Amino acid sequence: MISLTSPVRTRAQDWPAAAKLGALLAATTALFLLPGLWVQIAALAAVLGLYTLPGRVFLRHGLAQLRVLWPIVLVLLVWHALTGDLPDALRIALRIVNAVALANLVTMTTTLSDLTEVVHRIFAPLRRAGLPVAVIEAGIPLVIRFTPTLIQKGRALHQAWRARSSRRANWRIVLPMTLLALDDADHLAEALRARGGISPFED
Amino acid sequence: MTQPIPGIQTIGMSYAIGPRRVIDGIDLRLDGPRVGIIGRNGSGKSTLSRLLAGLLQPSDGTIRVEGVDVWDDRRAAIATLGILFQNPEHQIIFPTVLEEMTFGLRQLGRAKSEAKDAALATLAQFGKAHWHDASTEALSQGQKHLLCLMAVMAMRPRWLILDEPFAGLDIPTRMQLVRHLESCGAKLLHISHDPRDLAGYGHICWLDQGRIRATGGPEVLAQFETQMLAEGARDDLADLAG
């Protein structure tokens, strides 16, 4: 599932998105600049502390989202165990886990529209310079919306192939897949026009 | 300023794809509360709905909905009419329900907080206040249809154009959607191939090969059905277009 949202209402959801992103930026920079294994272990404890604050449901959901990291951690540890530098591996692995856990924390407690709002403000100088940034801003939610749709379309096409072929789908599926994506783009353009299109209304 | 003509008015409306006129010089004068357009597959129904919604530019003729030129004046158009596509997947633009609902309101020029309040009010009015954070991808087909309806109705249009909104829906889902549509507060222009969808509609137009074949009351539906049964007994699937 691509959407990473909190299962419970937390106080952090009311904090300004820009502040959360700024704090994330500072924390991640610190994680990468500060040397030493103990810094990472202390940071992990602090991150876990943050995860426990909103309650057990949030903690369990949050940790479940981090499970995708275990193959990376495993490869790191195995590789460094072979080269004989296990403390280094632990440091790097913890650093990655800490950084992703913090980033997830921000994503889980911030709506997409608040995040795009921050992007909107960051882009202000470019907008004043006359660049068409509204299109980029509008593109962010669209990518998130259409990624699962495209995956689903790809699966359907695969099934259509399998239904009449005993071989694996090959390069010949690329063109129909592209056409499906273009078709989706047409429908999207129509849906946008039906409700006013992408026009940058200012507050 | 002269008083605009109420309802939907088209004069000589045509739409050509290459040399073929998919919509061929249609003059219409329609007014609510409920208007039905019936026609076979390929009769030009979807093109007609898109012309009336201002999504396609007519090759010829004029279209006015409550006096608004729906192709040229998009700002007035989106405040005057909404359209529900046959496939809600083609209509939903955003990943969460609230963003989908606020999009059109922002396009109408509402401030962010105002748009959010209006969207939440519409959700509450439909008894779906708890949907606001839901992922649009995770909704069932019937729920997606309802979301599209709510997103359009949040914009308070005077007309709602329905392009085969019930195709492929089961009976309970269809019954619930009909209930929501009947009480939505907009005039309905309902386009369908199925006479059952338009039962009880006072004004019916029969669209056939891009032209209006008949207009009138419920008796047009009966004529259409008789003709469809006759055509169904033949083999016109063999004919290629062009």
Side-chain angles (χ1 to χ4, degrees):
Chain A
M1 193 62 200
I2 195 157
S3 70
L4 196 59
T5 48
S6 167
V8 293
R9 179 92 205 148
T10 66
R11 240 176 303 163
Q13 264 141 319
D14 300 324
W15 300 346
K20 282 185 276 187
L21 281 174
L24 175 65
L25 186 67
T28 315
T29 313
L31 280 176
F32 278 79
L33 288 182
L34 295 175
L37 182 57
W38 288 107
V39 174
Q40 300 299 334
I41 292 174
L44 182 67
V47 171
L48 280 177
L50 284 175
Y51 269 79
T52 49
L53 281 181
R56 192 177 294 174
V57 180
F58 185 92
L59 177 67
R60 199 177 309 146
H61 182 79
L63 293 183
Q65 305 297 329
L66 290 175
R67 233 179 283 155
V68 293
L69 284 177
W70 76 261
I72 301 168
V73 172
L74 187 74
V75 169
L76 266 173
L77 292 181
V78 169
W79 172 253
H80 283 86
L82 290 176
T83 58
D85 193 7
L86 207 53
D88 210 30
L90 272 177
R91 202 160 43 85
I92 299 171
L94 281 176
R95 188 180 272 163
I96 292 174
V97 171
N98 282 333
V100 174
L102 281 173
N104 278 1
L105 217 45
V106 173
T107 315
M108 278 196 283
T109 58
T110 315
T111 62
L112 190 67
S113 46
D114 285 346
L115 285 176
T116 27
E117 190 64 23
V118 175
V119 176
H120 181 76
R121 267 181 284 160
I122 293 173
F123 277 170
L126 296 177
R127 188 164 38 247
R128 274 194 292 274
L131 290 171
V133 284
V135 177
I136 302 172
E137 286 163 23
I140 297 168
L142 296 186
V143 169
I144 294 178
R145 154 79 172 87
F146 280 93
T147 306
T149 306
L150 267 181
I151 293 171
Q152 209 184 337
K153 287 263 163 82
R155 279 202 197 115
L157 205 56
H158 246 104
Q159 284 174 3
W161 179 289
R162 276 180 66 90
R164 281 183 292 152
S165 167
S166 57
R167 293 194 198 163
R168 283 170 56 96
N170 61 19
W171 58 270
R172 287 209 305 174
I173 211 165
V174 172
L175 184 62
M177 187 66 217
T178 313
L179 292 177
L180 275 180
L182 289 175
D183 200 36
D184 267 354
D186 270 350
H187 289 304
L188 175 65
E190 194 173 45
L192 281 168
R193 180 167 167 87
R195 279 184 291 159
I198 303 171
S199 50
F201 284 109
E202 301 298 329
D203 285 326
Chain B
M1 211 179 114
T2 53
Q3 192 70 22
I5 305 136
I8 296 174
Q9 193 198 32
T10 73
I11 301 168
M13 171 175 70
S14 298
Y15 187 78
I17 299 175
R20 204 162 79 89
R21 278 162 105 80
V22 185
I23 292 292
D24 193 4
I26 289 184
D27 300 315
L28 281 176
R29 218 157 155 178
L30 309 168
D31 208 354
R34 295 191 301 177
V35 180
I37 299 207
I38 192 107
R40 278 194 70 174
N41 296 340
S43 58
K45 297 193 302 295
S46 274
T47 308
L48 179 73
S49 70
R50 277 154 179 75
L51 284 167
L52 294 178
L55 302 178
L56 292 176
Q57 185 175 22
S59 332
D60 259 316
T62 58
I63 304 166
R64 294 284 182 279
V65 178
E66 304 294 342
V68 171
D69 181 328
V70 289
W71 172 261
D72 277 336
D73 190 355
R74 286 309 292 163
R75 245 191 211 222
I78 61 169
T80 308
L81 66 89
I83 178 168
L84 283 189
F85 296 154
Q86 177 175 349
N87 185 350
E89 303 279 354
H90 293 163
Q91 181 151 3
I92 296 173
I93 305 172
F94 293 96
T96 67
V97 167
L98 193 61
E99 282 166 294
E100 180 67 16
M101 300 274 303
T102 44
F103 170 71
L105 294 162
R106 294 277 285 152
Q107 300 308 306
L108 285 173
R110 307 268 189 94
K112 201 182 160 201
S113 61
E114 204 188 321
K116 188 179 168 188
D117 291 344
L120 290 173
T122 305
L123 278 172
Q125 186 194 326
F126 280 82
K128 304 290 174 284
H130 57 293
W131 280 23
H132 67 276
D133 270 341
S135 150
T136 51
E137 195 61 29
L139 297 177
S140 73
Q141 191 71 2
Q143 288 170 333
K144 284 180 182 167
H145 271 281
L146 185 55
L147 170 61
C148 291
L149 174 64
M150 291 190 296
V152 168
M153 288 319 297
M155 299 169 76
R156 306 241 162 275
R158 289 158 77 183
W159 279 92
L160 184 58
I161 297 176
L162 309 166
D163 180 18
E164 303 258 14
F166 302 141
L169 293 179
D170 61 21
I171 294 168
T173 309
R174 186 193 186 100
M175 283 170 63
Q176 294 174 54
L177 274 180
V178 168
R179 259 201 323 273
H180 283 302
L181 284 172
E182 309 258 282
S183 61
C184 78
K187 299 181 194 175
L188 298 182
L189 181 91
H190 189 154
I191 300 178
S192 178
H193 70 279
D194 189 343
R196 282 173 301 179
D197 288 345
L198 304 179
Y201 278 47
H203 191 166
I204 305 286
C205 299
W206 176 356
L207 185 67
D208 186 23
Q209 297 183 358
R211 294 197 183 133
I212 297 295
R213 175 148 164 186
T215 58
E219 74 281 358
V220 177
L221 285 181
Q223 294 165 17
F224 174 78
E225 203 158 357
T226 313
Q227 175 69 21
M228 288 308 104
L229 292 173
E231 288 179 19
R234 296 199 298 266
D235 178 29
D236 66 359
L237 284 184
D239 306 337
L240 296 173

